[in-house]
Each structure stands twice: as structure tokens, then as C-alpha cells.
Amino acid sequence: MADLENLKLRVRAVGLYVARFLGTTVRDARTGRVLGRALFVPFRGKVHVIGLEASVIPVFAPQDRLTYWKQELAFTTHPPPDFPHEPGA
């Protein structure tokens, strides 16, 4: 049983290595900071992000000219909370 779990972990590690090697560099749309490398797989109306360690939010990238038929998808991280910390109410 332990050998099966060890095999699963090795297969997962190899899969993530391949996804990051073949994937593209992901930058934060707001800050321009590099978030890592990931492989994007569109499947059944969803975009699967494989190999990225950060949690991201998809956003539409700003455009020079407004077009509705073609828009670029970008990714950004979750913004920090904009409310003060007030313990116990």
C-alpha cells in the first residue's frame, strides 16, 4: 500500500515538472510580477491551469481598442482585504 502512494507522488511530481517545463510564464495582470510557469488546457468550456502554485483570478486584459469578439484573458492574485481588522463585535 505504501508503494502505491509513493508511486502516485512520483507520477504527480513528474507530471508537474513536465507541465512547468512545457508551460508558459504567468505574470500578474495588475503588478507584472512573475507568478510561475503553468500549462493551460481548455476543456469543455473551462480553462485548467496545471502546475501553478499561486491561486489566481482570471480577468480580461485591458485593450487599446475596444472589441467584443476577441478579448485576452489574464490572471491576477487575490487583492488584500480592504477592511480593517476589528476583533469581536
Side-chain angles (χ1 to χ4, degrees):
M1 189 69 164
D3 291 335
L4 183 61
E5 292 297 323
N6 194 10
L7 179 64
K8 285 181 184 180
L9 289 175
R10 286 185 183 182
V11 168
R12 181 181 184 273
V14 169
L16 287 175
Y17 175 78
V18 169
R20 290 178 183 141
F21 181 75
L22 296 176
T24 184
T25 302
V26 180
R27 291 188 175 272
D28 191 325
R30 285 186 292 128
T31 63
R33 188 181 65 143
V34 175
L35 299 174
R37 292 180 59 89
L39 186 65
F40 295 93
V41 181
F43 183 70
R44 291 190 177 182
K46 297 178 183 177
V47 178
H48 298 275
V49 182
I50 302 170
L52 191 61
E53 293 183 11
S55 59
V56 292
I57 303 170
V59 294
F60 290 112
Q63 301 175 359
D64 293 333
R65 182 172 174 231
L66 185 62
T67 60
Y68 294 103
W69 66 274
K70 182 183 100 176
Q71 294 184 354
E72 290 185 24
L73 192 61
F75 295 92
T76 186
T77 55
H78 293 274
D82 61 348
F83 51 87
H85 176 68
E86 298 176 1

